[in-house]
Amino acid sequence: MPKFLDGSKLRQRLRTELRHSKSADIAVAFWGEGAADALGIQDGTKLRIVCNLMSGGTNPKEISKLQKRGAEVHQLNDLHAKIGVIGDMSFVGSSNMSANGLGAEGSAAHWQEANAVYSKARPEIAKMFNAYWEASKPITKEDLSAATAIWVNRQRGNAMVAARKGDRGLIDVLRAAPAELDALNVRMVVFDTMTDPDELEVLDTADRQAQEMYGPTFLVYWDWESMAKEARSAYLLSFDWPARRGIARGTLLRRNTEEFPDFEQNGSVFHPAYAVDSIEGITVDAGDKAILRKAFSAYVKDGATGEEGEDRAYNFPMSELAPYLPPANS
């Protein structure tokens, strides 16, 4: 049976285990001020860490400090887990690694946390860490510089965002902080409107299969390489492109292949996505979509090419449209 510990008691337990362990694997999304000191890393301990560097919740200075103390730190920027295996102990819970022991910097440092701690290294937790490690990538100096800009912006706006998070529109964020959309992997998707009856039947069948497996708000994309790679975890603003006019609709969707994997049917691969109302509280309304349609037209006229050179199939980071937005007061 596991023991259940709050954040401060988990910090004490981790520090004790690290004092006597030769290796430790920790995948915790967010790291803030004081995390390296709280762990009390010992010389000679092989420490592997996976964090979420680019979403604004991790202090890059703390990551740099961990690296200087010998930790091997990778980034996985859709990570929200909090797990670890340290010597003979393993844990899974809700606590991030940051100020005030384990918690989040600022007011969130006082959140109530719950963590299950096992006296033995649970193989399923070790397996999960290894999967995160394989999916992650090393953190470079350039990554830390980019993360610093995101972190500073996040800290400046934290109070305002907390109070008015639902009032932020997509175009406002795209103008002011496109890197925030990159951190969330927000993408613009445009595809040629399908009219062939046989192809429509294949797609309708795959949609029904996704809905049977995952739920009624799901639809699928059909054999898109970028959906299987860059958009494995992403928010998608999805437009179709009729033959004789500009792009239309603009459906907001979420891709999460960890929970809802791609599937094969009759030799084809289908990529499920489900409808959402907002992007982490960032709203998307008809005015935002109208501006994006015009920006996309300018983007294409400027020479942007589609998926694998296709003229009418696009899947790219939303931030690429920032230079094509009209002035804010126009």
Side-chain angles (χ1 to χ4, degrees):
M1 288 289 292
K3 290 185 177 180
F4 292 93
L5 303 179
D6 64 17
S8 62
K9 289 181 180 178
L10 178 63
R11 174 187 60 81
Q12 295 169 10
R13 179 69 184 273
L14 296 183
R15 189 179 181 92
T16 298
E17 294 294 332
L18 278 166
R19 194 177 300 140
H20 304 291
S21 300
K22 294 182 179 180
S23 65
D25 293 332
I26 300 173
V28 168
F30 305 120
W31 296 66
E33 184 179 359
D37 291 335
L39 287 175
I41 300 170
Q42 303 294 308
D43 290 339
T45 300
K46 182 181 179 182
L47 178 57
R48 297 190 300 175
I49 291 171
V50 182
C51 73
N52 184 328
L53 181 66
M54 293 296 186
S55 63
T58 288
N59 187 333
K61 289 184 179 178
E62 205 65 23
I63 298 303
S64 180
K65 185 183 293 186
L66 287 164
Q67 290 176 324
K68 290 176 181 177
R69 295 188 183 183
E72 189 175 1
V73 189
H74 282 198
Q75 59 182 313
L76 182 61
N77 292 317
D78 61 355
L79 183 71
H80 198 254
K82 294 90 179 175
I83 65 169
V85 178
I86 303 173
D88 292 329
M89 182 271 275
S90 53
F91 72 92
V92 59
S94 68
S95 293
N96 290 303
M97 299 282 185
S98 51
N100 196 17
L102 300 177
E105 290 191 13
S107 60
H110 304 290
W111 287 351
Q112 301 297 316
E113 304 287 357
N115 305 279
V117 177
Y118 300 86
S119 60
K120 295 183 179 180
R122 300 285 300 188
E124 59 268 48
I125 296 177
K127 182 179 179 181
M128 184 176 291
F129 175 86
N130 287 329
Y132 292 148
W133 185 258
E134 290 297 322
S136 66
K137 64 178 184 178
I139 294 173
T140 66
K141 290 182 179 179
E142 291 76 14
D143 292 330
L144 289 173
S145 295
T148 297
I150 296 169
W151 171 258
V152 169
N153 182 68
R154 175 76 172 266
Q155 296 307 300
R156 285 174 180 168
N158 255 352
M160 181 181 69
V161 169
R164 301 181 64 242
K165 189 174 183 182
D167 294 336
R168 295 192 304 162
L170 177 62
I171 296 300
D172 293 333
V173 177
L174 184 55
R175 283 196 179 105
E180 185 174 345
L181 299 180
D182 284 339
L184 294 169
N185 199 13
V186 179
R187 306 180 70 84
M188 180 85 165
V189 176
V190 180
F191 55 90
D192 201 5
T193 302
M194 190 174 293
T195 57
D196 181 272
D198 292 334
E199 292 181 342
L200 284 170
E201 178 59 29
V202 170
L203 198 58
D204 287 344
T205 300
D207 282 341
R208 290 194 295 271
Q209 178 67 25
Q211 290 160 14
E212 289 174 6
M213 290 191 301
Y214 300 137
T217 66
F218 279 81
L219 53 77
V220 299
Y221 296 91
W222 182 0
D223 272 335
W224 279 41
E225 183 177 356
S226 60
M227 286 292 175
K229 294 181 178 178
E230 292 89 345
R232 287 179 58 80
S233 176
Y235 289 93
L236 312 175
L237 190 56
S238 187
F239 294 82
D240 65 299
W241 199 347
R244 296 183 179 178
R245 53 192 174 90
I247 63 175
R249 290 194 288 185
T251 304
L252 186 59
L253 301 164
R254 177 81 164 96
R255 284 267 293 152
N256 179 356
T257 56
E258 280 197 12
E259 293 188 36
F260 309 108
D262 295 347
F263 61 91
E264 291 189 23
Q265 190 177 90
N266 297 324
S268 294
V269 178
F270 295 95
H271 316 288
Y274 58 93
V276 293
D277 295 326
S278 68
I279 304 166
E280 304 289 327
I282 301 168
T283 59
V284 183
D285 62 18
D288 294 322
K289 295 175 186 178
I291 291 173
L292 288 173
R293 286 195 291 269
K294 293 179 180 179
F296 176 75
S297 178
Y299 176 79
V300 172
K301 288 178 181 178
D302 202 30
T305 58
E307 176 108 341
E308 297 182 349
E310 294 285 340
D311 290 334
R312 295 169 66 88
Y314 290 78
N315 181 357
F316 60 92
M318 183 71 71
S319 60
E320 291 184 12
L321 291 184
Y324 300 94
L325 296 177
N329 297 321
S330 66

